[in-house]
Each structure stands twice: as C-alpha cells, then as structure tokens.
Amino acid sequence: MVSMHAMSYSLAFFFFAALASAQLSPTFYETSCPGALYTIQNAVRAAVFKERRMGASLLRLHFHDCFVNGCDGSILLDDTPTFTGEKTAGPNNNSVRGFDVIDTIKSQVEAICTQVVSCADILAVAARDSVVALGGPSWAVQLGRRDATTASFSGANSDIPSPTSDLSALISAFSKKGLSTTDMVALSGAHTIGQARCTVFRTRLYNETNIDASLATSLKSNCPSSGGDDNLSPLDAITPTIVDNFYYKDLVNKKGLLHSDQQLYNGGSTDSQVTTYANNFAKFYSDFAAAMVNMGNISPLTGTSGEIRTNCRKIN
C-alpha cells in the first residue's frame, strides 16, 4: 500500500515534471519579442540564398548543440584563456560552421529586443527555417530555452555520434539523449543536404564492400587514399541542397557516403524504416519534423537557469 505521503510526493513530482516540460512553448516570444521569428527567418533565407550549403550547416549546429548538455547554446561559446569550449572538440573542429550567420541573426534580434531571445532558441529556429528554405517540412519550434554559462569539450568528444559508428552505437547514442531509434533514423535524414570531408569517409571508400562500385570509383578521384582530407563530397549525391528522401534511396542502393549512414540499411533492425522513407517522402517529412521537436527538447535550461547572452560567443 502506497502511503499518502509518498503518493502526494509522487503527484507533486509529476506536476513539477509536467511544468518543467511545459515551460517551452511555440508562443514564448509572442509578447516579449513579436518580431523575433520573422527576423530569424529573413536572416536564414538570406544566408541560404547566398550559399545553399549553409542550410545544412545551421541544422547541424543545432544538432551538435543539443547532444552536449542539452540545447543550451554551449556550442557557440568561444575559447578564452581560462576556458575551453566545444568548437575545437573532435566532431566540431574544422567542421562545424555558420557561427557568423548566428552572430548576424543575434545582432538583428538584439536590435529589436534587447536580451530577450536566447542563442539556444536562435539555433532551434534557424534549423527549422533552414530546412524550410531548402524545400523541407516545417514544424512549430518549442521556445523558451536559456543559454548555458559553460560548455563541455569532453562532452562534445564523447556524446556526438561518430561517422564511423555502427548501428548499435548510433541507437545507443540517441537513446542516451532520450531519442528513439525511429527518431534516430528520421534525424539521419538531415544528411539529405550538406557535405562531408574526405577524412570522415575515406575508410569506407577504400575498405568497405557494402558500397556501390561506381560511386566509390567516382568519389576516389576527389578523396585519394592519402591527402585531400578537407575535400568535400555531398552526403546526397543526387540533390545535395534539397530536403527530400533521396538520402534513403541512396542507402537502399548502397550509396551512403558515411559508414554510419549505410549502417541504417545493412541487414539490421532499421532497414524497414529506411525502405519506408525511400518510398514515402511524406512519412519521412512528418517523422523528421516530430524528431526535430523531440531533439529540441533535450535538457533545456528554463526559468532562472542560465542566462540570455547578448553575444552568442561569450557569457555576459
């Protein structure tokens, strides 16, 4: 028999947990900064129009932010003489980009509402607006995150999934963040846009057999067995600047660029989901949108936690 004290405690805890998750809301800035979303959208459109690859880069910034201590803007903090941030961690160093675009957005938002809109929320909205700008689905972004006053170099090295990950490691990395395998396969569809450096897929090209021979041959010209580490190839060779389902069609045809991509369709538990998305882009769109909301809900700072940075690169 559960005691009344224990029951009231568990009810109180449930209420508190519900309250915490309810603190993020799509209408968070409706009165405090009504022009925020429009301002971010216009800036993202301008950046993507200037360079279509930037859409993939802004989407990736949000992902790499959320996987390290939650969606708290920590990835944006520059190193200082007394502080090492996340930018030089293995998965980010010479790889993540778009910081200047975020700076531009932040300065435009600060001009209309001083110290109201967090850098973490700007990352979340910019990710959505990038997907929309490249022809993908939209979703209601949950808002009200606050910015971290610290970052984790070690967390960036340990928690961001690697392009060399096997399926079990991918499932585990996402599960650790409260994301399902369905979320993981849907979010991997972000690789329908963007580019990867030769250094992260060289081993697959030269050592793996589950890769289309003609694709491997064509890629080798741009990614030699040594040298050319920073040479880029598109993650989706067919439509690298359009959010569609060709990424999944590629996987079915053994044309995944990264080892971690092809793991999603390699005789394992996620093959059927990949096949579904390859045949039904509407299903991919709806699952991707839902998974992006789930990812955006990873451990946000709310209420009085953290701060609203005036400059995304440094704490106030």
Side-chain angles (χ1 to χ4, degrees):
M1 184 75 177
V2 178
S3 72
M4 287 306 292
H5 177 73
M7 187 178 287
S8 63
Y9 172 78
S10 63
L11 280 172
F13 176 78
F14 175 78
F15 177 74
F16 177 76
L19 189 69
S21 64
Q23 282 178 311
L24 293 187
S25 159
T27 58
F28 189 82
Y29 297 112
E30 205 164 71
T31 53
S32 60
C33 191
L37 297 186
Y38 179 74
T39 302
I40 298 169
Q41 180 190 61
N42 277 353
V44 169
R45 281 180 178 169
V48 173
F49 181 75
K50 184 178 173 184
E51 183 204 2
R52 292 191 53 96
R53 181 186 171 210
M54 187 53 70
S57 298
L58 294 174
L59 175 58
R60 187 162 176 250
L61 267 182
H62 180 44
F63 169 54
H64 281 217
D65 181 38
C66 290
F67 263 66
V68 185
N69 293 344
C71 311
D72 61 359
S74 58
I75 195 171
L76 302 173
L77 290 172
D78 283 340
D79 294 353
T80 71
T82 57
F83 168 85
T84 302
E86 296 165 17
K87 290 181 177 179
T88 54
N92 295 331
N93 198 30
N94 298 320
S95 177
V96 286
R97 57 199 292 276
F99 297 111
D100 292 346
V101 174
I102 298 299
D103 290 341
T104 299
I105 295 171
K106 179 62 173 172
S107 64
Q108 290 179 6
V109 172
E110 284 294 306
I112 58 169
C113 314
T114 306
Q115 215 170 342
V116 173
V117 181
S118 68
C119 300
D121 276 350
I122 287 173
L123 286 177
V125 176
R128 188 269 311 271
D129 291 346
S130 292
V131 169
V132 173
L134 295 175
S138 187
W139 58 91
V141 180
Q142 299 288 321
L143 300 165
R145 301 168 191 80
R146 289 167 64 84
D147 296 322
T149 53
T150 185
S152 179
F153 178 84
S154 61
N157 278 321
S158 64
D159 289 7
I160 296 171
S162 163
T164 61
S165 295
D166 289 338
L167 181 59
S168 59
L170 291 170
I171 291 171
S172 172
F174 280 75
S175 174
K176 187 178 165 185
K177 302 299 174 185
L179 297 171
S180 68
T181 300
T182 299
D183 287 332
M184 184 271 289
V185 177
L187 288 169
S188 297
H191 287 180
T192 181
I193 51 175
Q195 311 261 340
R197 294 179 302 151
C198 164
T199 185
V200 299
F201 61 85
R202 176 184 284 120
T203 301
R204 171 156 164 75
L205 282 191
Y206 292 92
N207 296 342
E208 296 183 12
T209 54
N210 61 342
I211 182 168
D212 177 79
S214 62
L215 175 70
T217 301
S218 68
L219 288 170
K220 284 175 182 176
S221 63
N222 192 42
C223 185
S225 53
S226 63
D229 283 3
D230 291 332
N231 292 356
L232 297 171
S233 290
L235 288 155
D236 164 8
I238 306 164
T239 53
T241 59
I242 300 172
V243 177
D244 55 24
N245 64 336
F246 276 99
Y247 166 79
Y248 299 102
K249 294 176 188 283
D250 287 343
L251 298 185
V252 171
N253 292 314
K254 297 186 177 178
K255 291 183 177 181
L257 184 67
L258 307 180
H259 174 83
S260 55
D261 290 328
Q262 198 57 57
Q263 282 289 298
L264 302 182
Y265 190 87
N266 196 42
S269 61
T270 53
D271 282 17
S272 59
Q273 191 180 343
V274 170
T275 304
T276 296
Y277 293 160
N279 294 326
N280 185 345
F281 77 87
K283 175 65 172 165
F284 162 55
Y285 273 15
S286 62
D287 284 4
F288 180 79
M292 285 297 295
V293 172
N294 292 341
M295 185 180 80
N297 283 336
I298 300 174
S299 309
L301 297 172
T302 56
T304 55
S305 301
E307 64 181 19
I308 305 297
R309 283 184 228 140
T310 54
N311 176 340
C312 291
R313 292 177 179 265
K314 60 185 185 183
I315 59 173
N316 295 339

